[in-house]
Amino acid sequence: MITYDKCVVKRTAKNYYKYSLWIVAGLTLVGLLVMNLMYRPSMLTPLIISAVTSLVLSIAYGVAWRAVALSAPKTITKFYLVAPALRMIIAALVVLGYCLVVRQREQIREFVIIFFIFYFVTLVFDSVFFARLEKKYKKQQ
């Protein structure tokens, strides 16, 4: 059984928040650059919604991981299965909500592309970050 040291969990959560913020900020800056180069001010709203959603979901993921790692480390593998599924459901609801509000095909397409980029990059980051973390913990055991 893997046990997690409280200090290590806090430090890991802090690093996760920091890296998530950097990734979202970087994606947002790249999006703003593309928006200015293509002169498409309509990209601003999808960028803001995607960045805020990514930040909120990353913070929630980090808080939930920290709570599970400290209180029930035996169930951490279940957490790794459930959390991305829950994130996908929330992302689908955000996209659906945007589609219901906007109803213009070009703006919806733009939003979905931008949102998918944010979603995919943060999903890959989460997978790599926590896979490396678990590998490190298993080596220590």
Side-chain angles (χ1 to χ4, degrees):
M1 180 181 99
I2 296 176
T3 56
Y4 298 94
D5 181 31
K6 191 174 184 177
C7 293
V8 173
V9 169
K10 285 183 178 182
R11 187 173 9 144
T12 301
K14 186 177 178 181
N15 285 338
Y16 175 76
Y17 298 140
K18 179 174 59 174
Y19 297 150
S20 293
L21 179 63
W22 287 352
I23 288 171
V24 171
L27 286 171
T28 305
L29 288 174
V30 168
L32 289 171
L33 178 66
V34 169
M35 181 183 84
N36 284 327
L37 290 176
M38 294 175 58
Y39 192 70
R40 298 205 45 137
S42 62
M43 289 175 61
L44 186 60
T45 301
L47 274 171
I48 292 171
I49 293 172
S50 299
V52 169
T53 303
S54 295
L55 278 176
V56 168
L57 289 176
S58 292
I59 290 169
Y61 192 90
V63 168
W65 176 83
R66 183 177 170 181
V68 171
L70 290 175
S71 64
K74 288 182 181 180
T75 62
I76 198 81
T77 54
K78 291 178 186 173
F79 171 78
Y80 290 137
L81 291 173
V82 171
L86 190 61
R87 177 180 279 208
M88 183 179 62
I89 292 168
I90 293 169
L93 290 174
V94 169
V95 170
L96 179 65
Y98 187 85
C99 291
L100 291 174
V101 170
V102 172
R103 296 185 188 240
Q104 291 180 352
R105 193 171 273 212
E106 183 62 32
Q107 287 181 344
I108 290 172
R109 186 178 311 130
E110 204 171 62
F111 174 76
V112 169
I113 291 169
I114 292 169
F115 192 83
F116 177 75
I117 291 169
F118 273 83
Y119 175 80
F120 184 73
V121 169
T122 55
L123 186 68
V124 168
F125 165 70
D126 289 346
S127 299
V128 170
F129 183 86
F130 288 108
R132 286 183 177 175
L133 179 71
E134 291 301 318
K135 187 176 180 180
K136 186 172 92 173
Y137 273 125
K138 286 185 181 180
K139 278 185 180 179
Q140 290 176 354
Q141 297 296 328

